[in-house]
Amino acid sequence: MSDESDKRARVEWGADPVFGTPDEVTAALQRMVTALLRPPAGAPLRALEAGAGKRIRLDVPDDAYIVGVDTDDTAMSLNPRLHERVIGDLHDYTAPADSFDLITCWYVLEHVERPEALIARFAQMVAPGGLVVLAVPHLYSPKSVFTKLTPHAFHVWFRRRVLGFPNAGKPGYGPYPTTLRRGIAPAAIATLVARHGLAPVFEGYFEDDKQTRFRRKIGVTGWRWSLARGLVRALSLGLLDAARSEYVVVLRRDPATPRVSTPRDRVAPSTR
């Protein structure tokens, strides 16, 4: 598949996963989230940015109340949309059941030791009809395998020297140390969330823009890219896909699930 045909890759809703460029997939994801989000009548949308970083990843209504949790206080201080900033480990963060209409965990689960525990926690904190959005590296891609087998110091060097990001590794900037546990594989996520009352309503794959930038820099485009993808598939017996290096999924809690708490019990604006 050429670069031009990659750009024209189909992006559609439905049972099949979406495959396209990062912009195409995230745009389709945004449309799905916007269509499905339904906060309680008379109450603003409540959102949790689990691993908030410097910006929120999805557009939400202007009156949405957004809580951010991150260990990187420097990065979170640069995030203008947050109403509450909780500095700490996500494993230590708790909120009442049904607290949030939207939970976004964007490239965080690959950095933690127990991603399954966090996903189970999200299932408790999201309200009936609410959404949990996860973005992770696709575990079965050459990029993830290479990342798993190389030290963090190399990741910082590569991003600085090869990709040209001079602030890489400095406070407030990635890359951060990775764990890449098997619990973030798409099949593992699907098995886990089914036990916690969540169902996938959207799945998408795309190629990491940094990988695209690097391969174009060294001339792996057009037929060379098609050949490289084919070789990866063949040598891995179909397990690895070089073009699908990233995975995003939107999970929805059944709207018919009884609420554990009332809207007034949900996370409220801080009085501090």
Side-chain angles (χ1 to χ4, degrees):
M1 182 181 290
S2 69
D3 284 355
E4 285 304 311
S5 60
D6 272 345
K7 292 179 182 178
R8 294 192 296 269
R10 67 179 182 84
V11 174
E12 60 188 35
W13 296 358
D16 295 332
V18 167
F19 174 59
T21 66
D23 287 345
E24 289 172 333
V25 173
T26 53
L29 183 153
Q30 177 69 66
R31 292 195 296 272
M32 175 66 79
V33 169
T34 300
L36 292 178
L37 273 182
R38 293 290 184 272
L45 182 140
R46 307 285 177 163
L48 172 66
E49 288 285 325
K54 295 187 286 291
R55 62 188 177 93
I56 66 172
R57 299 295 175 167
L58 297 170
D59 293 332
V60 295
D62 291 340
D63 65 346
Y65 188 81
I66 306 174
V67 178
V69 181
D70 206 312
T71 56
D72 191 336
D73 57 336
T74 301
M76 202 160 43
S77 69
L78 302 174
N79 194 327
R81 285 299 309 274
L82 301 180
H83 296 87
E84 285 190 45
R85 294 172 174 83
V86 180
I87 302 170
D89 193 303
L90 272 171
H91 284 295
D92 299 325
Y93 177 75
T94 59
D98 306 343
S99 282
F100 299 104
D101 305 296
L102 174 66
I103 298 175
T104 304
C105 189
W106 200 267
Y107 288 108
V108 174
L109 295 178
E110 70 272 20
H111 301 292
V112 303
E113 291 291 343
R114 295 177 292 129
E116 301 92 341
L118 285 183
I119 294 173
R121 183 82 57 82
F122 297 156
Q124 294 176 342
M125 293 190 293
V126 72
L131 305 177
V132 178
V133 179
L134 308 177
V136 294
H138 184 206
L139 208 58
Y140 298 117
S141 70
K143 171 176 169 281
S144 288
V145 173
F146 186 76
T147 300
K148 182 77 171 178
L149 296 177
T150 52
H152 176 64
F154 176 79
H155 305 161
V156 174
W157 175 87
F158 188 85
R159 195 171 291 195
R160 286 183 184 176
R161 302 300 183 185
V162 179
L163 297 180
F165 295 97
N167 292 322
K170 295 180 181 179
Y173 296 89
Y176 302 99
T178 56
T179 58
L180 290 169
R181 300 303 184 203
R182 291 187 179 182
I184 68 171
I189 291 175
T191 300
L192 176 65
V193 301
R195 297 200 300 264
H196 292 281
L198 300 177
V201 293
F202 176 96
E203 293 181 281
Y205 294 88
F206 58 91
E207 183 185 11
D208 175 53
D209 56 357
K210 294 182 291 298
Q211 175 179 293
T212 304
R213 179 177 177 177
F214 174 66
R215 67 175 178 79
R216 287 176 176 170
K217 183 176 182 178
I218 62 175
V220 182
T221 59
W223 67 267
R224 294 181 180 87
W225 177 227
S226 297
L227 178 61
R229 290 181 62 186
L231 286 174
V232 166
R233 296 285 290 180
L235 293 174
S236 67
L237 302 180
L239 181 64
L240 304 182
D241 189 335
R244 300 189 179 205
S245 67
E246 316 303 312
Y247 175 68
V248 293
V249 60
V250 180
L251 307 165
R252 191 185 194 198
R253 184 175 168 192
D254 187 346
T257 304
R259 285 184 176 273
V260 177
S261 62
T262 64
R264 73 174 57 188
D265 297 322
R266 288 149 49 97
V267 170
S270 175
T271 57
R272 290 177 295 175

